[in-house]
Amino acid sequence: MGRWICCLRSRVADSLMLLLVLALSCNPSTAATASPSAPHIKPSYSFGRTFLGLDKCNACIGTSICKKFFKEEIRFDTWLSSRLKLPPSYLLSYSGNYTDDAKSWRLVDITRLTSKYRHDQADKRICTSLLKTKTCSLERALRRTHRFQKWLRAKRLTPDLVQGLSSPMLRCPSQRLLDRIVRRYAEVPDAGSIYMDHLTDRDKLRLLYTLSVNSHPILLQIFPDVEGWPFPRYLGSCGRLVVSASTRPLRDFYGAAPEVAADLALQLLAVLRSMGTNDLNYFFYFTHVDAGTFGVFSNGHLFIRDASMLGIIDKEEGSQLIDGQQDYKDIFSCLTVDCQSAFVSCNSIREKHSLVMVCQELLPKLLKGKFLQPVQEKIDSFLQHCASGLADDQGVNEAVAKLAELLKPLRSCDSRFAYRYPDCKYSDKY
């Protein structure tokens, strides 16, 4: 009896299953939805070598972070986007997200050393001037140059190998600075040596190309933030794209509250002071500043966002390249700038140089109309003295010192300034 009931139940179950299958087959859309075998297609970026600039290597920056791009551990805009589309290739910089564990993400800046248009123009210039053709193998063309052949034979990076390059960082080079570049070049395995034995021919071309186009990523590598230098962290390069920690440009804070503006102005003056006086005896100066030169992290800390216009003078060794040697020009001197542009003499750079530019270009926009009288009037007066102080070193220093004293009590101590909170509650420093 029990066996008969069991068989009956089995037949009923089979009949119900048959009816379910027939019902689904009559409604194709329902069948497609219910089917467990339908594959789940993960949205993915379609990276091309052209977008990254990998098609131009080894006339590129490096490849140290390419795996992150292809594994989608670096994503543009927002990693939560359901439609993962690459942004336009003509932009100079992009906002992105970076992860090490696919769970926690942090903001990064993805930038080109120069615009894609300038890159393309430089590539054409290489082919037409070196091989007399419209298109060519950039690597093959650059390898034939007299400068690169000298690099291939060199055991050490010396001033004569970088003479005539447009980067402000290399206009007054010392051997100590060049040794630091080789020893800390992050696109190769760390050898900790001042000699270039650990650099392959490919590595040497990439380093030379980067120094010729824009020294910004090299500065981030040789003066890292973990050692207290005011630069964002260098995370790596892929083709002609550089990835670094994210900052908001100073221009975003021109409309900030008075206490925020006062805090950023004091940080800006402190950064310039550290650039002139530091333990390593390097004097950093700007050849140009604008609203994108400096940036602010999410914790309120101000950093140098764009180091491309930063020059360096070695106060310990001095320049080992006399001004006459800077007139040397070749294809590497002209990749992103006009070959006819004149270099500033190393001997003409003065310590107040950057202060005057910041007082002229940035601080008035940051502090304008922020405070009540007579405080605002005093601020404007000090800025005017600083901005017009090219012929008066003492006047500039005094104006800046008085401005700093005036701004200190105007900033506040709260969680908006996470880089110094809650320390500011218990320290006279703030």
Side-chain angles (χ1 to χ4, degrees):
M1 182 71 177
R3 181 179 299 176
W4 181 82
I5 293 174
C6 182
C7 291
L8 179 61
R9 287 177 177 173
S10 177
R11 288 176 181 176
V12 171
D14 290 343
S15 299
L16 289 173
M17 181 60 71
L18 179 60
L19 288 172
L20 177 61
V21 171
L22 289 172
L24 290 174
S25 64
C26 293
N27 188 346
S29 62
T30 306
T33 305
S35 174
S37 61
H40 174 67
I41 300 175
K42 178 184 176 183
S44 177
Y45 286 121
S46 177
F47 274 113
R49 291 171 60 84
T50 303
F51 180 86
L52 295 170
L54 283 171
D55 58 326
K56 304 298 176 63
C57 283
N58 292 306
C60 63
I61 311 166
T63 55
S64 61
I65 209 165
C66 286
K67 287 183 179 179
K68 287 279 187 183
F69 278 104
F70 288 109
K71 290 168 66 177
E72 293 181 22
E73 293 175 347
I74 295 177
R75 291 186 174 183
F76 292 90
D77 293 324
T78 169
W79 67 278
L80 293 174
S81 173
S82 59
R83 298 185 306 131
L84 298 176
K85 292 184 178 180
L86 289 175
S89 60
Y90 58 79
L91 296 177
L92 190 58
S93 63
Y94 311 89
S95 176
N97 286 269
Y98 175 102
T99 185
D100 288 316
D101 56 14
K103 296 178 182 178
S104 57
W105 295 78
R106 51 190 164 124
L107 290 173
V108 292
D109 289 334
I110 305 168
T111 56
R112 301 183 188 276
L113 295 191
T114 187
S115 66
K116 190 174 186 301
Y117 172 77
R118 283 196 175 183
H119 268 312
D120 292 342
Q121 291 298 107
D123 294 344
K124 290 178 182 177
R125 195 178 301 123
I126 291 170
C127 294
T128 54
S129 62
L130 297 179
L131 297 182
K132 311 302 180 186
T133 60
K134 291 185 178 180
T135 59
C136 68
S137 166
L138 299 177
E139 180 173 0
R140 189 179 304 123
L142 293 176
R143 285 178 68 92
R144 293 182 181 183
T145 61
H146 174 67
R147 188 192 294 267
F148 188 67
Q149 288 301 312
K150 286 179 66 177
W151 273 63
L152 289 179
R153 295 190 297 269
K155 291 290 185 182
R156 193 175 182 181
L157 186 59
T158 51
D160 63 296
L161 295 178
V162 298
Q163 64 177 323
L165 296 185
S166 63
S167 167
M169 183 181 77
L170 299 173
R171 291 182 186 176
C172 312
S174 69
Q175 188 59 58
R176 186 168 71 115
L177 176 63
L178 298 179
D179 288 343
R180 190 176 182 87
I181 291 174
V182 173
R183 195 170 63 247
R184 295 189 167 213
Y185 182 42
E187 288 297 313
V188 298
D190 182 18
S193 172
I194 62 174
Y195 297 102
M196 296 197 290
D197 298 336
H198 62 293
L199 269 63
T200 64
D201 294 357
R202 176 199 65 193
D203 298 329
K204 289 182 178 180
L205 180 57
R206 290 179 180 175
L207 177 56
L208 173 56
Y209 180 84
T210 307
L211 290 172
S212 303
V213 175
N214 187 327
S215 58
H216 170 77
I218 303 299
L219 273 160
L220 270 55
Q221 294 169 42
I222 66 178
F223 297 108
D225 68 309
V226 293
E227 295 180 3
W229 297 97
F231 300 108
R233 180 166 301 182
Y234 176 80
L235 298 172
S237 299
C238 183
R240 289 180 170 179
L241 292 179
V242 179
V243 183
S244 60
S246 176
T247 59
R248 288 176 60 192
L250 187 62
R251 70 170 67 90
D252 289 358
F253 296 86
Y254 283 168
E259 61 272 19
V260 174
D263 183 80
L264 292 175
L266 283 167
Q267 286 193 73
L268 185 51
L269 295 176
V271 165
L272 295 183
R273 197 177 305 116
S274 69
M275 295 283 91
T277 305
N278 51 75
D279 293 341
L280 293 186
N281 262 338
Y282 287 115
F283 169 56
F284 298 77
Y285 66 93
F286 286 98
T287 58
H288 171 79
V289 295
D290 57 39
T293 301
F294 296 90
V296 183
F297 282 123
S298 57
N299 65 357
H301 207 169
L302 182 137
F303 275 61
I304 297 173
R305 189 171 191 257
D306 180 3
S308 60
M309 293 291 104
L310 204 58
I312 302 178
I313 293 177
D314 192 334
K315 295 197 290 187
E316 189 170 301
E317 286 189 3
S319 172
Q320 297 187 20
L321 191 65
I322 61 174
D323 290 341
Q325 290 177 288
Q326 293 181 324
D327 294 333
Y328 176 86
K329 295 287 194 301
D330 66 355
I331 189 63
F332 290 101
S333 310
C334 316
L335 289 182
T336 57
V337 297
D338 179 8
C339 269
Q340 305 305 316
S341 58
F343 288 144
V344 177
S345 168
C346 298
N347 296 326
S348 67
I349 305 299
R350 300 164 72 176
E351 293 200 7
K352 64 178 181 181
H353 188 82
S354 298
L355 273 174
V356 172
M357 282 197 295
V358 166
C359 288
Q360 290 174 340
E361 301 294 332
L362 302 182
L363 289 180
K365 298 173 183 176
L366 183 63
L367 300 174
K368 182 179 180 180
K370 288 286 168 59
F371 307 96
L372 297 176
Q373 300 298 354
V375 173
Q376 186 67 54
E377 185 178 352
K378 290 181 180 179
I379 290 175
D380 294 342
S381 176
F382 293 146
L383 286 177
Q384 188 174 2
H385 282 303
C386 172
S388 60
L390 287 174
D392 182 9
D393 288 356
Q394 187 65 24
V396 171
N397 292 329
E398 287 181 2
V400 168
K402 290 178 180 178
L403 176 63
E405 285 302 315
L406 191 61
L407 290 173
K408 281 180 182 178
L410 299 177
R411 59 182 179 173
S412 62
C413 179
D414 58 61
S415 57
R416 287 176 298 171
F417 312 99
Y419 79 95
R420 59 180 173 87
Y421 180 83
D423 294 348
C424 53
K425 280 189 173 183
Y426 311 105
S427 173
D428 294 335
K429 175 183 176 184
Y430 298 104

